[in-house]
């Protein structure tokens, strides 16, 4: 399989359309809940070089049923994507998931290391949903070191 693109005709109603480069072009379509569609969106999110495709993938994942694979891909995107817009969209979608241990730990890492204040603020919002004692050290560091007054307080 070669490059995966969004089909030129765009998306219609509840259908997401892809163009997959192979020996011949192949277009696939389906609803956001189709496993193949979700897998292609996750592939684009984690592996495509084009940030606009990664942003579109996160936007379209919003319409799929929450799943563990999707959550983990969004966490991976949040922690590794070089584009702050992709990280921001990922963390905003992650806010709709249960803030379990993996998500809380990712949010603490973001709070301490991400250079984008909107992403850090979104991490704070998730952490506020279900605070616990494990967050105290990270919050203490942030309260002293973060350059953003709102985050520091």
């Amino acid at each position: 399989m070669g490059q995966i693109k969004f089909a030129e005709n765009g998306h219609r109603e509840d259908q997401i359309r892809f163009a997959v480069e192979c020996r011949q072009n192949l277009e696939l379509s389906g609803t956001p809940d189709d496993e193949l569609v979700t897998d292609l969106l996750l592939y684009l999110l984690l592996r495509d070089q084009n940030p606009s495709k990664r942003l579109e993938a996160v936007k379209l994942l919003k319409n799929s049923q929450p799943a563990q694979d999707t959550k983990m891909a969004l966490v991976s995107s949040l922690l590794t994507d070089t584009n702050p817009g992709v990280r921001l969209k990922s963390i905003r979608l992650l806010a709709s998931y249960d803030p379990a241990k993996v998500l809380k730990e990712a949010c603490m890492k973001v709070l301490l290391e991400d250079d984008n204040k909107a992403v850090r603020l979104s991490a704070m919002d998730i952490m506020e949903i279900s605070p616990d004692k494990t967050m105290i050290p990270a919050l203490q560091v942030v309260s002293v070191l973060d350059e953003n007054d709102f985050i520091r307080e």
Side-chain angles (χ1 to χ4, degrees):
M1 182 171 13
Q3 189 176 13
I4 298 174
K5 303 178 198 175
F6 292 105
E8 289 182 20
N9 295 3
H11 317 296
R12 287 182 266 159
E13 297 179 29
D14 65 344
Q15 295 288 307
I16 300 170
R17 297 172 48 85
F18 295 97
V20 179
E21 183 183 298
C22 45
R23 290 188 180 172
Q24 60 186 21
N25 282 343
L26 170 69
E27 284 195 21
L28 305 167
S29 65
T31 67
D33 292 324
D34 290 343
E35 185 176 351
L36 178 60
V37 170
T38 301
D39 288 347
L40 288 170
L41 290 172
L42 295 177
Y43 178 87
L44 286 169
L45 173 62
L46 296 175
R47 299 189 183 193
D48 201 276
Q49 297 299 311
N50 185 335
S52 65
K53 286 186 191 178
R54 297 193 309 269
L55 282 166
E56 182 74 6
V58 175
K59 177 182 164 192
L60 293 169
L61 283 167
K62 185 177 183 178
N63 299 322
S64 66
Q65 291 295 320
Q68 186 66 17
D69 289 350
T70 303
K71 178 181 179 179
M72 296 311 293
L74 290 166
V75 167
S76 179
S77 171
L78 170 65
L79 296 175
T80 63
D81 202 290
T82 57
N83 185 288
V86 174
R87 293 193 313 271
L88 184 59
K89 279 220 180 275
S90 293
I91 197 164
R92 287 185 175 163
L93 183 52
L94 282 165
S96 66
Y97 285 80
D98 178 48
K101 183 179 179 183
V102 170
L103 183 51
K104 287 181 185 180
E105 289 175 358
C107 286
M108 284 190 284
K109 183 172 178 60
V110 164
L111 191 59
L112 293 168
E113 298 177 8
D114 201 286
D115 59 350
N116 185 285
K117 67 182 172 187
V119 175
R120 292 194 314 273
L121 284 169
S122 294
M124 288 284 296
D125 291 342
I126 291 173
M127 292 170 69
E128 287 176 355
I129 294 170
S130 181
D132 63 51
K133 291 179 183 180
T134 64
M135 298 175 185
I136 292 173
L139 294 172
Q140 287 173 329
V141 169
V142 168
S143 72
V144 174
L145 298 178
D146 202 288
E147 71 274 359
N148 185 290
D149 291 337
F150 188 77
I151 294 173
R152 239 187 358 255
E153 296 172 8

